[in-house]
Amino acid sequence: MKKINIGIVGYGVVGSSVVKILDKDREIITQKSGLDINVKKVYTRNWNRKLFYPIDDSKKAKTVDEIINDKDIDIVVEVAGGIEFPYHLITQAIKNRKNIVTANKALLAEKGKDIFSLAQKYDVRIGFEAAVAGGIPIIKALREGLVANDISKIYGILNGTTNYILTSMYTEGKSFEQALKEAQEKGYAEADPTLDINGTDAAHKISILASLSFGGFVDFSQVYVEGIDKIDTLDIELGRELGYTLKLLAIAKSHGEEVEIRVNPTFLPSWHPLSKVDGVFNAVMVEGNNVGETMFYGRGAGGLPTASAVISDIVCIGKSIANNLGRDLEITSMDWKHKDLTLTKVKDFYTRYYVRFTVPDITGILAKIASVFAKYNISIAAVIQKEKILKLQKETKEKVVPLVILTHTASENNIQLAIKEIVSNKYSVENPVIIRVEDEE
Amino acid sequence: MKKINIGIVGYGVVGSSVVKILDKDREIITQKSGLDINVKKVYTRNWNRKLFYPIDDSKKAKTVDEIINDKDIDIVVEVAGGIEFPYHLITQAIKNRKNIVTANKALLAEKGKDIFSLAQKYDVRIGFEAAVAGGIPIIKALREGLVANDISKIYGILNGTTNYILTSMYTEGKSFEQALKEAQEKGYAEADPTLDINGTDAAHKISILASLSFGGFVDFSQVYVEGIDKIDTLDIELGRELGYTLKLLAIAKSHGEEVEIRVNPTFLPSWHPLSKVDGVFNAVMVEGNNVGETMFYGRGAGGLPTASAVISDIVCIGKSIANNLGRDLEITSMDWKHKDLTLTKVKDFYTRYYVRFTVPDITGILAKIASVFAKYNISIAAVIQKEKILKLQKETKEKVVPLVILTHTASENNIQLAIKEIVSNKYSVENPVIIRVEDEE
Ligand SMILES: NC(=O)c1ccc[n+]([C@@H]2O[C@H](COP(=O)([O-])OP(=O)(O)OC[C@H]3O[C@@H](n4cnc5c(N)ncnc54)[C@H](OP(=O)(O)O)[C@@H]3O)[C@@H](O)[C@H]2O)c1
Ligand SMILES: NC(=O)c1ccc[n+]([C@@H]2O[C@H](COP(=O)([O-])OP(=O)(O)OC[C@H]3O[C@@H](n4cnc5c(N)ncnc54)[C@H](OP(=O)(O)O)[C@@H]3O)[C@@H](O)[C@H]2O)c1
């Protein structure tokens, strides 16, 4: 049986779970894989902090160089996080002809082009199953299982923290702040949850999925990202009345030469499978021209689920190594079309919209707003005007009510122009809330 | 670029879809896989019938031997169906050191041990992604993506025909016969739907999944199989009142030394993700010790989805061939524990039950039935006794009503003993309807 030596960089939640599984489930993994996976060395910044899982002193490396320069180490597993440090160590390791396994979506989304090109040059593989949707084997499904498909759309719930928050806002009527606090108390949100809440984490993941699906690298700075921090419980309630559930959706759609990639709070109809994905669970839907619609669901984070994905990469790359192969077995590279993706501009988005205006409670205002929509060719699908939820306008003490308009498919450009006109005409006394809607027509 | 020559046996729904995709999506498949997949020959029984997709005369083989004896053919794709014919051709092809890709779950469930052992001996691979759940890459997920997991339970909706029928019974109140007829008219059920309706097809599939999950071959004749042909709309209605949806579930659970494998109509609570899987869709849930709960959802049948899976196998095995490898890359063999699975006996099943008795409409009968249940240690969770749905007993013209008892977890043996006693005491005037329930306690 071939022995595969791995070196692990970063010994936190994920790193220690990798070591734990390789210990406790050694027999089963060996039986299934035919490989003897040996953790040769682990490096982490500070060995004096409390470890989640014990490790023999002889395996503790004092510098990262002890790992990347070790001739016996076949695979370097990067589970430290961040960007600068892992970028440096991974590029060095690649130059030393180490294969890489990483859970680091931020790094791959922002520096992927460099790293994958370097891996190509040095004929090593990069495994990143753990970087997207934790334990769900979506990367393998896209690269191999669905290889015979032209993918038109891939979208899903890719961040467990925000899904937990939105679920508790929806089911328990909590405010965003309350729900976030509870998520932090339960360990479902980091002390600094910024990258989750503002949509960046989901955007990193959908960028990686878009590359694999559409065959080119993504300029991450061009990806449209909107978080959930400004979501008001009122919109969740009004959406529910229209039959919708609010989710933070990460979406990538092909439009021939262009690809639309965006992360934004999204209303989904209640028949939609993703509308039922609650709490910390993740799910990804893939639409392929031959397979039709498929969905992959499971735990998108947590030490053990993420380590499950890390180890599946170690095993697959280990098989290459055991057969003295470099990248020969790789199916579906990140840039299989050999050109970067051209992203659709925001003004060219074309979808359905939920727009909540705050209007003076006087007759005729709906007609005025509707006529502006008509002017910009935006067709209205439904309206909710509430008498009940009254509040007084701050300055004038005039009564104002929420007026919700659900549109048919419209262009973002027209929506923005219409709203600008409505606001400048003071038909809406506050800036309207705009939420995109994924629903069939 | 390496050329992979394939020979296809069987040119019906699946076979012609394989050729169609390899034609129309050639560029994308080549770009992703780095392989040039060439359909060298196709054999089918009768070239004079109307073909679903045209094929060049030069590729039409007159005998199956033209394919299995062709030195240039690397992979034989068996999409003919049946058992005797494919068994013969596949074993011959293996002896000629051909790799095999097949969609034939019946063959693998009933003769898998022979075939996989022979493949081992001749160092060739067998791809069977298409044999279970059509286009959903569940085989790859189990073998590779979830390799680092000890799987405790795998279950799902594995037959689209029966799911279509049960969905239309549930949502439209159709009888079994009406729903089947409609399914046939829409092409979702074969002219002879026996193997679907009686549960055999789902049993074939769950046996294959059980082997991969638990690491041993299954004696298919020992698998417990119950179909949907006796399902009464009344039970679907009464189940709905209890919050349940009826699905034909295929289940494999590990109990340490034993594995419980069964296919039976099953009530699922409405919160369960599988209860929402409607129409011809399939879905599989896998519970792993590290990954937790995952679900895979998509089209379980149809030419293009199934061919999508066939081609993914061709690509993966093609990579082995391109690198002059035999079975070296295989992860998770069907018998990775190197012993056959021991199946749990029916009397040792331990689950929750829905039992509908038909009782005379007189007071005291519930108490009598309940006391028999108590005698056999069966604890009752809920009761529905309907005044409304009255009918007259055939012989005595006495009024009878349905009495439904939902139990907590109980042993099958005790349930059978209790029911025998209840029937012999004539507390129920008809044989009760027993439906297993998968629900938490
Ligand atoms: N946790 C999840 O559920 C999950 C899921 C999917 C992907 N990921 C990804 O997996 C990676 C690791 O996540 P995690 O949750 O395991 O994080 P974590 O618990 O914070 O662990 C990171 C470990 O790496 C060490 N480290 C960080 N920067 C270092 C540096 N510059 N030099 C040396 N050691 C350094 C940390 O040391 P200190 O203890 O000294 O800080 C810590 O031991 C991240 O890229 C994350 O995005 C995590
Ligand atoms: N259809 C699906 O959605 C689906 C999904 C998953 C798996 N599968 C499996 O895929 C296999 C093929 O299914 P299918 O739907 O493509 O069936 P099909 O449409 O009936 O096609 C089978 C083809 O094989 C030919 N054939 C059958 N027995 C033969 C024999 N003894 N000698 C020569 N040719 C023979 C048939 O010839 P004739 O036309 O002369 O009968 C026909 O062309 C089966 O194992 C099935 O279980 C099918």
Side-chain angles (χ1 to χ4, degrees):
Chain A
M1 188 175 322
K2 171 78 182 175
K3 183 167 176 174
I4 301 294
N5 285 312
I6 66 171
I8 300 178
V9 181
Y11 201 62
V13 173
V14 180
S16 58
S17 298
V18 170
V19 174
K20 181 177 176 181
I21 296 177
L22 289 174
D23 267 2
K24 76 183 174 71
D25 296 327
R26 164 159 300 278
E27 189 187 352
I28 225 169
I29 294 171
T30 307
Q31 284 176 322
K32 291 188 188 179
S33 68
L35 297 173
D36 170 14
I37 299 166
N38 175 46
V39 179
K40 191 167 179 225
K41 279 205 181 121
V42 180
Y43 168 69
T44 198
R45 191 157 39 191
N46 174 11
W47 281 118
N48 294 323
R49 69 159 218 186
K50 189 168 160 26
L51 304 181
F52 297 119
Y53 187 77
I55 187 159
D56 207 88
D57 279 343
S58 65
K59 302 198 171 198
K60 293 180 183 165
K62 291 199 186 58
T63 66
V64 71
D65 291 344
E66 275 184 60
I67 289 180
I68 59 183
N69 294 331
D70 184 328
K71 283 209 207 67
D72 293 337
I73 286 180
D74 304 298
I75 302 177
V76 173
V77 178
E78 185 275 304
V79 281
I83 301 223
E84 289 312 316
F85 172 70
Y87 180 77
H88 184 75
L89 86 91
I90 286 176
T91 50
Q92 277 306 316
I94 291 174
K95 289 176 186 163
N96 293 347
R97 298 204 182 264
K98 306 293 179 210
N99 290 277
I100 307 292
V101 171
T102 177
N104 194 332
K105 53 264 178 174
L107 177 71
L108 295 183
E110 305 203 10
K111 303 272 194 185
K113 191 168 176 175
D114 282 14
I115 290 176
F116 287 102
S117 310
L118 200 69
Q120 175 117 33
K121 182 166 163 199
Y122 285 89
D123 196 24
V124 295
R125 292 179 71 178
I126 312 243
F128 53 98
E129 186 61 81
V132 184
I136 308 171
I138 180 66
I139 300 293
K140 186 172 279 290
L142 272 183
R143 303 183 89 152
E144 305 177 13
L146 304 179
V147 64
N149 287 272
D150 188 359
I151 289 168
S152 53
K153 185 172 173 187
I154 178 163
Y155 63 116
I157 294 170
L158 293 176
N159 182 277
T161 303
T162 45
N163 202 47
Y164 181 87
I165 291 171
L166 290 176
T167 302
S168 82
M169 289 175 77
Y170 183 83
T171 57
E172 299 168 43
K174 292 214 165 75
S175 71
F176 170 76
E177 289 74 17
Q178 287 171 322
L180 170 60
K181 191 155 167 278
E182 185 194 288
Q184 286 173 315
E185 282 160 9
K186 293 201 177 167
Y188 294 144
E190 309 273 330
D192 177 3
T194 316
L195 294 185
D196 295 313
I197 298 303
N198 72 13
T200 306
D201 178 72
H204 285 145
K205 292 166 178 167
I206 194 70
S207 299
I208 295 171
L209 295 180
S211 285
L212 280 180
S213 302
F214 307 118
F217 289 108
V218 172
D219 176 356
F220 185 71
S221 68
Q222 303 288 309
V223 173
Y224 178 84
V225 192
E226 205 183 303
I228 64 161
D229 41 322
K230 293 195 193 67
I231 295 297
D232 190 325
T233 323
L234 174 61
D235 294 301
I236 292 184
E237 278 315 310
L238 293 169
R240 189 203 301 266
E241 285 185 36
L242 290 162
Y244 290 119
T245 310
L246 190 71
K247 294 292 180 190
L248 182 66
L249 225 62
I251 303 173
K253 289 184 203 181
S254 164
H255 302 297
E257 291 302 294
E258 289 186 352
V259 177
E260 175 180 337
I261 309 184
R262 57 185 163 90
V263 171
N264 53 233
T266 308
F267 278 123
L268 285 174
S270 55
W271 56 260
H272 197 291
L274 292 181
S275 76
K276 306 284 183 342
V277 174
D278 283 341
V280 293
F281 279 86
N282 279 201
V284 186
M285 301 220 62
V286 188
E287 291 179 13
N289 63 335
N290 297 313
V291 77
E293 202 167 60
T294 54
M295 184 173 83
F296 302 83
Y297 164 96
R299 292 191 176 271
L304 295 175
T306 309
S308 161
V310 166
I311 296 171
S312 80
D313 276 341
I314 294 172
V315 166
C316 290
I317 295 178
K319 282 284 179 183
S320 282
I321 295 166
N323 289 287
N324 297 312
L325 299 172
R327 294 165 54 79
D328 316 72
L329 301 177
E330 188 151 282
I331 299 167
T332 315
S333 68
M334 292 286 274
D335 62 335
W336 53 270
K337 279 198 183 146
H338 303 299
K339 54 180 178 193
D340 293 349
L341 299 185
T342 306
L343 301 197
T344 303
K345 298 208 167 44
V346 178
K347 70 172 178 47
D348 297 331
F349 290 172
Y350 199 69
T351 184
R352 299 185 66 175
Y353 295 83
Y354 160 106
V355 187
R356 172 167 61 86
F357 299 99
T358 304
V359 300
D361 189 18
I362 50 170
T363 49
I365 205 81
L366 173 59
K368 286 178 180 162
I369 288 177
S371 75
V372 179
F373 271 45
K375 174 176 165 192
Y376 290 100
N377 255 317
I378 301 162
S379 153
I380 294 175
V383 173
I384 303 185
Q385 181 161 7
K386 284 273 162 192
E387 292 291 332
K388 283 189 309 187
I389 314 173
L390 290 179
K391 60 174 179 177
L392 297 184
Q393 207 186 334
K394 278 188 207 98
E395 294 152 34
T396 63
K397 305 287 174 213
E398 222 179 343
K399 279 183 186 171
V400 293
V401 296
L403 170 71
V404 171
I405 292 185
L406 180 73
T407 76
H408 287 296
T409 303
S411 94
E412 177 89 17
N413 199 38
N414 287 352
I415 287 281
Q416 295 297 353
L417 290 172
I419 283 169
K420 204 171 155 192
E421 184 162 329
I422 289 165
V423 169
S424 76
N425 285 344
K426 300 220 164 63
Y427 301 156
S428 183
V429 299
E430 287 174 16
N431 274 334
V433 172
I434 307 175
I435 297 176
R436 295 184 184 80
V437 177
E438 287 290 305
D439 195 2
E440 282 164 3
E441 290 274 13
Chain B
M1 190 176 321
K2 172 78 183 177
K3 183 167 177 175
I4 302 294
N5 284 313
I6 66 171
I8 300 178
V9 181
Y11 201 61
V13 174
V14 180
S16 59
S17 299
V18 170
V19 174
K20 181 175 176 182
I21 296 177
L22 288 173
D23 268 2
K24 76 183 175 71
D25 296 327
R26 163 160 300 279
E27 189 188 352
I28 225 168
I29 294 171
T30 307
Q31 284 176 320
K32 290 188 189 181
S33 68
L35 297 173
D36 169 14
I37 300 166
N38 175 45
V39 178
K40 192 168 179 222
K41 281 207 178 118
V42 180
Y43 168 70
T44 197
R45 192 156 40 191
N46 173 12
W47 281 118
N48 295 323
R49 68 158 218 185
K50 187 168 160 29
L51 304 182
F52 297 117
Y53 187 77
I55 187 158
D56 207 87
D57 279 345
S58 65
K59 302 199 171 199
K60 293 179 182 166
K62 291 199 184 59
T63 67
V64 72
D65 291 343
E66 275 184 59
I67 288 180
I68 60 181
N69 295 330
D70 185 328
K71 281 208 209 68
D72 294 336
I73 285 180
D74 305 298
I75 302 177
V76 173
V77 178
E78 183 276 305
V79 280
I83 301 225
E84 289 313 316
F85 171 70
Y87 180 77
H88 184 76
L89 87 90
I90 285 177
T91 50
Q92 277 305 315
I94 291 173
K95 288 175 186 162
N96 293 348
R97 298 201 183 267
K98 307 292 182 212
N99 290 277
I100 307 293
V101 171
T102 177
N104 194 331
K105 53 266 178 172
L107 177 70
L108 295 184
E110 304 202 10
K111 303 270 195 189
K113 191 169 176 173
D114 283 15
I115 290 175
F116 287 101
S117 310
L118 200 70
Q120 174 117 35
K121 183 168 161 197
Y122 286 89
D123 195 26
V124 297
R125 292 178 71 178
I126 314 243
F128 52 98
E129 187 62 82
V132 183
I136 308 171
I138 180 66
I139 300 294
K140 185 172 280 288
L142 271 184
R143 301 182 91 152
E144 304 176 14
L146 304 179
V147 63
N149 286 273
D150 188 359
I151 290 167
S152 54
K153 185 172 174 187
I154 178 163
Y155 62 116
I157 295 170
L158 294 176
N159 183 276
T161 304
T162 46
N163 202 47
Y164 181 87
I165 291 172
L166 290 177
T167 301
S168 83
M169 290 174 76
Y170 183 84
T171 56
E172 298 168 42
K174 293 213 165 76
S175 71
F176 170 76
E177 289 74 17
Q178 287 170 321
L180 169 59
K181 191 156 167 277
E182 185 193 287
Q184 285 172 318
E185 282 160 10
K186 295 202 175 166
Y188 295 144
E190 309 273 331
D192 176 4
T194 315
L195 294 186
D196 295 314
I197 298 302
N198 71 14
T200 305
D201 178 71
H204 285 146
K205 293 166 178 167
I206 194 70
S207 299
I208 294 171
L209 295 181
S211 286
L212 280 180
S213 302
F214 307 119
F217 289 108
V218 171
D219 176 356
F220 185 72
S221 68
Q222 302 289 308
V223 173
Y224 178 84
V225 192
E226 207 183 301
I228 65 161
D229 42 321
K230 294 195 191 68
I231 295 296
D232 192 324
T233 322
L234 174 61
D235 294 301
I236 290 183
E237 278 313 312
L238 292 169
R240 188 202 300 266
E241 286 186 33
L242 289 162
Y244 291 118
T245 310
L246 192 71
K247 294 292 179 188
L248 182 66
L249 225 62
I251 303 174
K253 287 184 206 183
S254 164
H255 301 297
E257 291 302 295
E258 290 186 352
V259 177
E260 175 179 336
I261 309 184
R262 58 188 162 88
V263 171
N264 53 235
T266 307
F267 277 124
L268 284 175
S270 55
W271 56 260
H272 198 291
L274 292 179
S275 76
K276 308 284 184 340
V277 174
D278 283 340
V280 293
F281 279 86
N282 279 201
V284 187
M285 300 219 62
V286 188
E287 291 178 12
N289 64 335
N290 296 314
V291 77
E293 203 166 60
T294 53
M295 184 172 84
F296 302 83
Y297 165 97
R299 293 189 175 272
L304 294 176
T306 308
S308 161
V310 166
I311 296 171
S312 79
D313 276 341
I314 294 173
V315 166
C316 289
I317 295 177
K319 283 283 177 182
S320 281
I321 295 165
N323 289 286
N324 297 310
L325 299 172
R327 294 166 53 79
D328 316 72
L329 300 178
E330 188 152 282
I331 298 168
T332 314
S333 67
M334 292 287 272
D335 62 335
W336 52 271
K337 279 198 184 147
H338 304 299
K339 54 181 179 193
D340 293 350
L341 299 185
T342 306
L343 301 197
T344 302
K345 298 209 165 44
V346 179
K347 71 173 178 47
D348 297 331
F349 289 173
Y350 199 70
T351 185
R352 298 185 66 173
Y353 294 84
Y354 160 108
V355 188
R356 172 166 61 85
F357 300 100
T358 305
V359 301
D361 189 17
I362 50 171
T363 50
I365 206 83
L366 173 58
K368 284 177 180 162
I369 288 178
S371 75
V372 179
F373 270 46
K375 174 175 165 192
Y376 290 100
N377 254 317
I378 301 162
S379 153
I380 294 176
V383 174
I384 303 184
Q385 182 161 6
K386 285 270 162 196
E387 292 291 329
K388 285 187 309 186
I389 315 169
L390 290 178
K391 61 175 179 178
L392 297 183
Q393 209 186 331
K394 279 187 207 99
E395 293 153 33
T396 63
K397 305 288 176 214
E398 220 180 346
K399 279 182 184 170
V400 292
V401 295
L403 170 70
V404 171
I405 291 184
L406 180 74
T407 76
H408 287 296
T409 304
S411 95
E412 177 89 17
N413 198 40
N414 286 352
I415 287 281
Q416 296 297 352
L417 291 173
I419 283 168
K420 203 169 157 194
E421 186 163 325
I422 289 164
V423 170
S424 76
N425 284 346
K426 301 219 163 62
Y427 301 156
S428 183
V429 298
E430 287 175 16
N431 275 332
V433 172
I434 305 175
I435 297 177
R436 294 183 186 80
V437 178
E438 287 289 307
D439 194 2
E440 282 165 2
E441 290 275 15

